[in-house]
Amino acid sequence: MSLLIVSLDTTALNVALPDIRADLGASVSGLQWVIDAYTLVLAALLMLSGSTADRLGRRRVFRWGLALFVAGSLLCSLAPGLGWLVAARALQAVGGSMLNPVAMSIITNTFTEPRERARAIGVWGGVVGISMAAGPILGGLLVEVSGWRAIFWVNVPVGLAALVLTTLFVPESRAPRARRTDPVGQLLMIVLLGALTWGIIESPHRGFASPLVLGCLTVALVSVVGFLVYESRRAEPLIDPRFFRSVPFAGATATAVCAFAALGGFLFVTSLYLQEVRGMSALRAGLCMLPMALMTLVCAPLSGRLVGSRGPRLPLLAAGAGMTAAGALLALTASADLSLGVLFCGYVLFGVGFGLVNAPITNTAVSGMPRAQAGVAAAVASTSRQVGSSLGVAVIGAVMAAGGLGAGGVVGLHDPAGFQDAERTAWWIVSGCGLAVLALGALTTGRWARATARRAAHLLDEGDGTTRQQAQQATERTNSGAAG
């Protein structure tokens, strides 16, 4: 249910972007911030939330997250202007950071057998498909009937029901040895993500050589260098560098960035194209996006079963091929009056690719890692997803703003030819992200990669002063006591 409201909020909101622009007088960069204010805060806080849940209790933190997400949704529905909406989206993200990684940690500590865990993750990830299938249509219907504010109302009853059910049925669990907080590393990550995204979003309007953009990129560079130097010297860093000695884990992290950059860019450009260029209503645009969403719904649980039976290699290769083909097809055929049949094929290919990619990312990120750090490991994967989504919206939104959106940032019809060129570039970026997923799937799933995962897990166990078996026994004792 937590994944449902978070994913539904994202897919439904993309359909409502043109309505928000018209109602609040937002530019394209303002629309980018409506999306990225959420994903940036989420990415910055996921690691902190994962380690906090391991320390204070996963159910407790999960319930806090649900309460904050519901409160943020209410404030979004009441926002009188763009600035208020962006701020309320940031509050939503604070709550959202306590949901998905903590839920994944709960699942990891409940399903301890690898095959069962892979299937459970597949079912859990299948909710993304449900939300993607329902999101565009529900969002379009709500916009048609009640306006964009109704999109945030949906989160309230679902969030409150999840809060009640969590209280009744989810057992409390904690890591046997929780990690310490890392405020300096947390601050450096916030500065890095904020400065990088701000620079990318503002570059089309101010120019890449402007002092603001160059200053943002400089701050981002200094932050990443400082983060690497500082974290390498800490006994318990925010992101343990030893995790990335596992090639599958590092590959899953990079794959998540690429796949979700493609998704974020896909949803952003598709919504603007269908409604602003082709003049469709929000509901009709949602219906046009339905083939992509349905294929994600079908392929997500299938991917979980494939990972459980044959490993992550096959679904990753198929996912990369699907997204690459979709981006290339839409780039080669981009036009203002493109046949709906071609759009259908492109959207189906992308839905197949994205539906297959989620389960192997999640399973690879948590498999082989000590369950004592399940919250942190899952949070790294979730952080990578949100970073990718933020960068996808920022980069492709910047391309669209520079190409065909007019001096005032109003979409489309000021320069149709420029919009078409920008759209073509955006689709090539999506195709490149898919190609990166394909290459990473081939490089990070072989014997050598699996051997590095075993060595990294052994190193983590030794560094924490416990064996894998001891960590498992301690976790099981914690879960048994909480359940009792």
Side-chain angles (χ1 to χ4, degrees), residues 394-437:
V395 171
I396 289 182
V399 168
M400 302 304 293
L405 306 179
V410 178
V411 176
L413 302 180
H414 290 71
D415 185 7
F419 185 94
Q420 183 175 325
D421 291 339
E423 182 194 4
R424 185 177 292 111
T425 302
W427 288 127
W428 281 123
I429 293 173
V430 171
S431 183
C433 290
L435 189 61
V437 172

Side-chain angles (χ1 to χ4, degrees), residues 248 251-252 255-256 303 306-307 311-323 353 356-361 364 434 437-442 444-445:
T255 300
S303 178
L306 286 173
V307 172
R313 186 179 184 86
L314 179 59
L316 281 175
L317 294 178
M323 287 189 286
L356 291 172
V357 80
N358 214 30
I361 288 173
T364 305
V437 172
L438 179 63
L440 288 166
T444 63
T445 55

Side-chain angles (χ1 to χ4, degrees), residues 209-224:
S210 68
L212 175 63
V213 173
L214 290 178
C216 286
L217 298 180
T218 301
V219 169
L221 179 61
V222 172
S223 298
V224 72

Side-chain angles (χ1 to χ4, degrees), residues 258-279:
C258 295
F260 278 76
L263 176 66
F266 176 92
L267 293 174
F268 192 83
V269 69
T270 297
S271 180
L272 295 181
Y273 169 73
L274 292 177
Q275 296 184 66
E276 298 286 1
V277 176
R278 299 191 68 125

Side-chain angles (χ1 to χ4, degrees), residues 72-160:
S73 297
L74 281 174
L75 291 176
C76 285
S77 70
L78 300 173
L82 183 67
W84 289 99
L85 178 59
V86 170
R89 289 281 289 164
L91 177 62
Q92 258 192 319
V94 175
S97 71
M98 304 177 188
L99 297 180
N100 291 351
V102 181
M104 178 52 60
S105 181
I106 292 171
I107 291 173
T108 303
N109 281 274
T110 301
F111 295 93
T112 58
E113 198 274 323
R115 185 181 297 269
E116 288 185 349
R117 182 174 58 207
R119 290 177 176 174
I121 290 172
V123 174
W124 185 76
V127 176
V128 175
I130 295 173
S131 66
M132 291 190 70
I137 298 176
L138 180 61
L141 183 62
L142 290 172
V143 169
E144 292 285 323
V145 174
S146 301
W148 62 267
R149 298 177 189 274
I151 288 175
F152 297 103
W153 300 340
V154 177
N155 298 331
V156 177
V158 179
L160 292 177

